């Protein structure tokens, strides 16, 4: 299996030749050809109910794929008339298809909860919206000021502001999820929004999650 983080156009090698596409971007034939050369596109993963919109495009191009639904994403897709036929649901425990190579946990955050993944071989933590680390010079006002006020800017990064109040009321679940993250001892953090943390992941986790 390969794992491909299409939100960032980066890939990580696993073991059996399949491809795990996390939060895939808009379908692109050139990128699809590159992926075909790497292995069989098999898993299309929606980590939360906000990162799903292009899964249907990839599923139509690769009909043998399994489309994995996060909590609430089926309802959200129907409400927005987005044509996606999700075939399986993610659970707190990883499925048989990748459990030997990727671990996962459901990070609380109320409406914004998401699945976090950990690629064991590369010791990489894979996040979607849990941590935002935007480079301020790449966005315009008023978003630049709002991002700075929220603390979600490079090189510091911070928990997505929409999660913070729900986390306060879900402290037991948050403590359990953060404990799982600590136990993985990641060395690198891959983000969907902003600059990744390619080193000192442990200190970043301690600073952000406490």
């Amino acid at each position: 299996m390969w794992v491909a983080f299409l939100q960032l156009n980066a890939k990580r090698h696993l073991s059996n030749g399949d491809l795990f596409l996390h939060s895939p971007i808009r379908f692109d034939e050139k990128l699809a050809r590159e992926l075909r050369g790497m292995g069989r596109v098999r898993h299309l993963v929606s980590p939360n109910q906000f990162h799903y919109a292009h899964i249907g495009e990839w599923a139509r191009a690769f009909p043998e794929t399994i489309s994995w639904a996060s909590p609430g994403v089926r309802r959200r897709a129907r409400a927005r008339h987005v044509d996606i036929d999700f075939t399986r649901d993610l659970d707190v425990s990883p499925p048989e298809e990748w459990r030997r190579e990727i671990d996962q946990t459901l990070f609380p955050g109320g409406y914004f909860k998401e699945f976090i993944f950990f690629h064991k071989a590369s010791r990489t933590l894979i996040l979607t919206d849990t941590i935002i680390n935007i480079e301020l010079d790449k966005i315009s006002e008023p978003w630049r000021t709002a991002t700075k006020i929220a603390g979600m800017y490079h090189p510091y990064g911070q928990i997505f502001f929409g999660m913070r109040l729900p986390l306060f009321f879900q402290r037991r679940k948050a403590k359990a999820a953060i404990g799982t993250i600590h136990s993985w001892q990641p060395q690198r953090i891959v983000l969907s929004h902003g600059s990744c943390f390619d080193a000192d992941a442990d200190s970043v986790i301690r600073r952000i999650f406490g």
Side-chain angles (χ1 to χ4, degrees):
M1 182 183 287
W2 287 72
V3 57
F5 313 130
L6 288 192
Q7 193 71 23
L8 301 161
N9 194 24
K11 298 93 180 174
R12 284 294 174 270
H13 181 259
L14 296 181
S15 70
N16 72 357
D18 285 351
L19 292 174
F20 172 110
L21 273 58
H22 176 275
S23 186
I25 58 175
R26 185 183 300 276
F27 180 79
D28 177 79
E29 183 56 45
K30 180 180 178 182
L31 179 57
R33 286 197 301 270
E34 292 179 11
L35 292 174
R36 288 187 185 99
M38 294 167 55
R40 180 179 67 157
V41 177
R42 183 60 174 161
H43 303 289
L44 305 172
V45 179
S46 162
N48 62 32
Q49 62 175 318
F50 303 100
H51 286 248
Y52 71 93
H54 303 297
I55 284 178
E57 302 166 21
W58 287 88
R60 286 186 286 276
F62 296 93
E64 294 184 357
T65 53
I66 300 171
S67 298
W68 296 85
S70 54
V73 74
R74 295 173 188 266
R75 181 176 61 252
R76 186 176 177 87
R78 285 195 301 268
R80 285 156 179 76
H81 307 289
V82 179
D83 184 17
I84 302 174
D85 181 20
F86 286 104
T87 49
R88 298 274 296 275
D89 291 288
L90 292 170
D91 198 356
V92 175
S93 299
E96 178 63 30
E97 284 84 349
W98 63 69
R99 69 177 51 176
R100 286 183 292 273
E101 299 153 275
I102 301 175
D103 206 349
Q104 67 193 54
T105 190
L106 181 61
F107 194 81
Y111 187 64
F112 300 100
K113 59 182 173 291
E114 73 173 53
F115 276 94
I116 288 175
F117 299 91
F118 177 66
H119 180 219
K120 299 175 185 179
S122 65
R123 306 281 295 277
T124 300
L125 188 66
I126 307 166
L127 306 182
T128 311
D129 297 327
T130 299
I131 294 177
I132 310 292
N133 190 38
I134 299 293
E135 294 163 284
L136 292 175
D137 60 350
K138 294 185 178 180
I139 57 175
S140 58
E141 295 293 358
W143 307 113
R144 183 182 298 138
T145 297
T147 300
K148 193 166 185 179
I149 290 171
M152 303 184 302
Y153 62 96
H154 178 73
Y156 307 106
Q158 191 52 263
I159 295 174
F160 172 54
F161 75 92
M163 285 182 163
R164 296 176 196 174
L165 185 60
L167 283 175
F168 179 80
F169 292 105
Q170 296 179 294
R171 282 174 285 185
R172 182 175 297 177
K173 290 182 179 179
K175 184 177 180 179
I178 292 167
T180 297
I181 294 170
H182 279 296
S183 73
W184 289 334
Q185 298 182 321
Q187 295 179 350
R188 181 177 182 236
I189 304 174
V190 171
L191 308 177
S192 290
H193 302 287
S195 182
C196 299
F197 295 100
D198 292 317
D200 300 319
D202 185 58
S203 62
V204 172
I205 289 168
R206 287 199 307 269
R207 173 178 61 80
I208 292 178
F209 294 125

